[in-house]
Amino acid sequence: MTRETDPHRTATLSVRVWRGGGEGAYAVYDVPRRPSQTVLDVVTHIQRRIDPTLAYRYACRVGMCGSCAMTVNGRARWTCRTHVEAVAADDALTIGPLAHLPVIRDLVTDMREFFDKWARAKGQFAPTATRREEFARIVPESEARRAADAAIECIGCGICYASCDVVAWNRAYLGPAALNRAWTLHNDPRDGARTERLAAIAGDAGCHACHTHQSCTERCPKKLAPTASIAGLKREVARAVLAGELV
Amino acid sequence: MTMPRSGWRNRRHAGWWAFAVHRVSGVALALFLPLHFWVLSQALGGAAALDAVLAWTDQPLVRPSEVMLVLFLAVHLTGGVRLLIIEFGGWRESWQPTAIAVAGGAATLCALVFALNLG
Amino acid sequence: MSAARTQSFLWLAQRASAAVLAVCVVVHLATMIIAVRGGLTAAEILARTRGSVAWAAFYGVFVLAVAIHVPIGIRTVVAEMRGGHSRGVDGIALAFGVVLVVLGTRAIIAVTGA
């Protein structure tokens, strides 16, 4: 007898979903259980079959875009890649918007602050060469490239940001994603904004605010380690301070 | 009600507990230090003056807090050394759980030795 | 000096003082475990520290490192309780540092003065 044919298992899930803005309440919906059901399937069922006023985001639904990130039973997850079986062991499911971001409505958050901090951390590549120069030669096994490669796969889903307590405690903190991106660029020899970027990510709102909780690393669906990137940034800032290079 | 923030189910991992212990022990030690310095400066009034204050610490309710403070000091030290290694020595994902366990174990051992020594 | 630079210096000072304290605390813990057998008396403490230049120097370094390490740590803790950093929080931390230096020096004089 498998879990799915077990007659004692309920045929419906009782799902609590956040409705409202920053102020609101959880509404309860009964959703039929299905094999291999994901949390995104549950939310979609509610919006299409029960309550069309429910607001939520998704796009690819195959774990590539990060749009469907929400808080599921207290933890930030990609809902398209979260099987109901894995998180609703006692048939209880609570779905809310990502934490630490203003709520526009229901499960939709305003991501502007997340991306503004990305920009403040100078998380953009600053080119130095033109089409007339030779191609840059990057050695894949070099320490710098390996450091960048370990952190480069971030798709900006916001799960680390929503999982980080320092983001909640220190409103100016740039957050794990922005700092992780800054680290990949710091390790790119083609980039021309090294000095400005180090100054941008240093200090009370930058890498020095990280307390190595490792919540970001625990929750990242791409298995990245922003904690490691931020530790690297701390090392590089210390080096720059001692060398008199930090502006 | 207001939208709940990141909850406690988000925090059940070793790295977070290591932080919590480090923060609690640090704040406890910071608050204890001025008291510690004040007690020691009683010696300015001679050995007898210091003894008078130390006698107060022999009370049965105060003894456990002495052991707690030693535990706080030891665990803040070991946890701090772990952080210094992460920040200056480099990150290896596989070492993290072991590092936390070693830090916690060494500190507890130290506090145990102190407690047993107290007699 | 820019804010980022000052704050980076503070962080570095806290880590440097942490390294110094790691040594001091190991010595301090060892001393406590060896010295505190079945209770502690003033005579036991003072017999070791009275008139000792070595202990005075050791505790001098200890107090200095503590006066750097603790206020910078407290600064972060208080800032996070209030949602972010501010000049007021800096002031609290600085004041606490001064208190530690004054009381700490007094304590050293008390136990090492001949």
Side-chain angles (χ1 to χ4, degrees):
Chain A
M1 187 163 56
T2 66
R3 287 199 72 188
E4 276 154 344
T5 58
D6 183 353
H8 296 292
R9 239 164 116 267
T10 53
T12 56
L13 269 174
S14 180
V15 186
R16 291 168 75 229
V17 179
W18 183 260
R19 302 303 307 271
E23 292 292 321
Y26 285 102
V28 182
Y29 304 94
D30 287 325
V31 173
R33 281 195 101 117
R34 299 245 145 76
S36 302
Q37 191 179 41
T38 64
V39 178
L40 182 60
D41 290 337
V42 169
V43 175
T44 302
H45 176 93
I46 295 170
Q47 197 269 335
R48 289 185 188 173
R49 303 292 169 88
I50 306 176
D51 186 348
T53 66
L54 176 64
Y56 71 108
R57 273 201 193 105
Y58 78 99
C60 76
R61 60 186 180 24
V62 290
M64 282 187 64
C65 72
S67 306
C68 68
M70 300 176 205
T71 306
V72 179
N73 285 357
R75 297 185 197 189
R77 298 177 186 274
W78 288 347
T79 51
C80 70
R81 299 290 270 189
T82 303
H83 278 117
V84 168
E85 293 236 318
V87 293
D90 52 354
D91 292 339
L93 198 57
T94 301
I95 307 171
L98 277 184
H100 310 154
L101 290 163
V103 181
I104 297 176
R105 194 160 69 81
D106 302 339
L107 302 169
V108 180
T109 57
D110 185 340
M111 301 281 291
R112 273 180 297 189
E113 185 183 77
F114 176 79
F115 291 113
D116 282 348
K117 288 180 174 180
W118 194 290
R120 282 216 291 280
K122 295 251 181 287
Q124 321 89 328
F125 179 70
T128 52
T130 66
R131 71 183 70 187
R132 288 167 214 94
E133 266 89 55
E134 284 295 314
F135 279 78
R137 295 199 170 273
I138 307 290
V139 181
E141 296 81 31
S142 67
E143 203 185 310
R145 194 62 230 168
R146 282 200 277 120
D149 283 344
I152 203 76
E153 298 290 337
C154 173
I155 60 174
C157 70
I159 278 178
C160 60
Y161 190 82
S163 304
C164 176
D165 282 306
V166 181
V167 168
W169 300 338
N170 181 354
R171 272 180 243 108
Y173 182 42
L174 295 174
L179 292 171
N180 181 69
R181 181 49 53 99
W183 173 244
T184 66
L185 292 164
H186 179 83
N187 281 286
D188 192 329
R190 299 165 295 181
D191 177 83
R194 209 168 210 251
T195 317
E196 298 91 320
R197 189 175 298 108
L198 271 186
I201 56 84
D204 290 339
C207 63
H208 297 121
C210 169
H211 294 305
T212 321
H213 295 165
Q214 291 172 235
S215 297
C216 55
T217 305
E218 276 289 312
R219 305 253 63 89
C220 176
K222 302 284 285 186
K223 301 279 178 264
L224 304 180
T227 314
S229 304
I230 294 169
L233 286 173
K234 287 175 176 170
R235 255 195 311 284
E236 289 298 296
V237 172
R239 197 169 294 164
V241 164
L242 293 172
E245 282 166 10
L246 197 68
V247 295
Chain B
M1 62 193 259
T2 318
M3 172 61 216
R5 280 199 186 144
S6 171
W8 279 101
R9 272 181 287 192
N10 188 44
R11 294 181 185 134
R12 278 198 222 116
H13 52 266
W16 206 91
W17 292 120
F19 157 78
V21 166
H22 199 72
R23 170 90 23 132
V24 168
S25 60
V27 172
L29 289 165
L31 295 175
F32 166 70
L33 267 175
L35 177 66
H36 186 47
F37 289 159
W38 179 83
V39 166
L40 291 167
S41 16
Q42 295 312 295
L44 285 170
L50 180 54
D51 265 325
V53 180
L54 287 176
W56 178 84
T57 67
D58 279 340
Q59 290 174 82
L61 285 172
V62 181
R63 274 290 174 86
S65 16
E66 277 187 346
V67 178
M68 278 309 293
L69 280 164
V70 170
L71 181 63
F72 281 159
L73 185 61
V75 88
H76 198 79
L77 163 68
T78 55
V81 167
R82 172 189 155 251
L83 282 178
L84 286 177
I85 293 172
I86 289 174
E87 289 173 351
F88 290 98
W91 172 276
R92 223 151 294 185
E93 185 97 35
S94 51
W95 285 2
Q96 300 316 310
T98 310
I100 294 173
V102 167
T108 311
L109 183 66
C110 176
L112 259 173
V113 172
F114 176 79
L116 291 169
N117 240 7
L118 268 181
Chain C
M1 213 195 268
S2 72
R5 208 152 144 241
T6 314
Q7 289 152 18
S8 304
F9 256 121
L10 280 180
W11 182 87
L12 204 50
Q14 220 237 4
R15 278 1 187 216
S17 59
V20 170
L21 284 171
V23 177
C24 293
V25 168
V26 168
V27 171
H28 196 48
L29 281 169
T31 310
M32 287 188 317
I33 288 174
I34 295 169
V36 182
R37 288 182 184 254
L40 186 64
T41 66
E44 282 176 328
I45 300 175
L46 298 172
R48 195 178 58 250
T49 59
R50 265 264 152 84
S52 165
V53 175
W55 280 113
F58 170 72
Y59 287 127
V61 168
F62 205 162
V63 166
L64 189 61
V66 156
I68 294 170
H69 188 80
V70 176
I72 299 174
I74 289 296
R75 176 179 177 268
T76 302
V77 174
V78 175
E80 286 177 358
M81 289 195 312
R82 300 167 93 241
H85 289 265
S86 68
R87 287 224 159 262
V89 174
D90 290 349
I92 293 170
L94 188 62
F96 196 60
V98 170
V99 166
L100 287 174
V101 169
V102 168
L103 290 181
T105 311
R106 222 166 144 253
I108 296 176
I109 295 170
V111 299
T112 61

